[in-house]
Amino acid sequence: MVPFAGYSMPLSYGDVGAVASHHHVRNSVGIFDVGHMVQSNFRGATTTAFLEWLTPSSLHQLPHYSSTLSVLLNEHGGIIDDTVITKHADDAYYIVTNAGRRDRDLAWFKEQLDKWNMSEKAKDGKVEMEILEGWGLLALQGPEAAQYLQGLTSFDLQGLTFGKSAFVPLEGFNLHVARGGYTGEDGFEISIPPAHTVDVAKLLSKSPVQLTGLGARDSLRLEAGMCLYGQDLDEQTTPIEAGLTWVIGKNRRGKADFIGAEGVLKHLKDGPPRRRVGMIVEGAPARQGAKVFAPSGGDLIGTVTSGIPSPTLGKNIAMGYVQSGWHKKGTEVEVEVRNKLRRATLTPMPFVTTRYYRGT
């Protein structure tokens, strides 16, 4: 167990190491306890407009029971947090945010809700926020996840494609199930009322499912090219720099009617000063904070934000930021690891091909 965002979190379970857990998720199915994440409901007649002010996403166009990755932006266009927004109805949304950003996010939501509800924008109805305190969140991930879950429900999971959600009956429980996750594999995130979390966890953790800890979660998400807030994203980084331009709805760019629009649109128009990239590092794994240089001991051009030996590829992979102009795939750079410069090649992400279920 390790401290993480105010919680005690499992790094691994029993004598199963992080690498073995990693391989089990890639090849079979594992389950993660991610109940530390903050789950919230937003309701009210003007909720869609409110969330489109808070984020750059096109939520008007999002179908019911569909999800999108989004970002909360500060006034300068920096990322306060990344979040998954699920639309249940035009006036009802379910949002998951990061535990490590709980205090900052909740204070930001409250401040902006108060402004909104006191303004002319809320004339058709105020917006209210409900934090689902103590609720469980379990992530069932891996190529055998659907087969296992299907054995527990009469609901046809073939109709639940990546990015969709539904209330699903599971052995007497009626639970919100979203198809997606943080590993690059097919899987589901299941939200559970506090009184039932342990029972559902027991139901979902029978063979071949293995309990999986934070160690494997980090290596899986990095192979899938996904960001970890606090390492790969922060309030000084815009979505354009972070390679998340796609979260900004095309119809939102002209209107510029979301918080932080000026900074984001400037980077869209002029190009960002730096860009998030993937790299394969020779010799030794580069870790967070490692410096990136131009070849042959040239100028400092960037920093590694996440890095590991990839269990799936057997290579050292890393993610970081480099100056624009140095970001093209195939570019060779040098990374300082243990006071020695190591050759690295910029490579597209994800490092390992994702296997999301998008239908047959």
Side-chain angles (χ1 to χ4, degrees), residues 280-298:
I280 304 285
V281 184
E282 294 181 13
R287 304 292 187 181
Q288 181 186 12
K291 294 174 180 174
V292 182
F293 294 91
S296 306

Side-chain angles (χ1 to χ4, degrees), residues 181-220:
Y182 195 49
T183 62
E185 296 295 334
D186 183 23
F188 306 86
E189 293 198 338
I190 302 160
S191 177
I192 313 158
H196 304 310
T197 303
V198 172
D199 290 336
V200 174
K202 287 177 179 175
L203 187 67
L204 293 174
S205 53
K206 294 170 184 166
S207 181
V209 180
Q210 279 187 1
L211 295 165
T212 315
L214 282 185
R217 187 168 169 82
D218 192 53
S219 55
L220 289 159

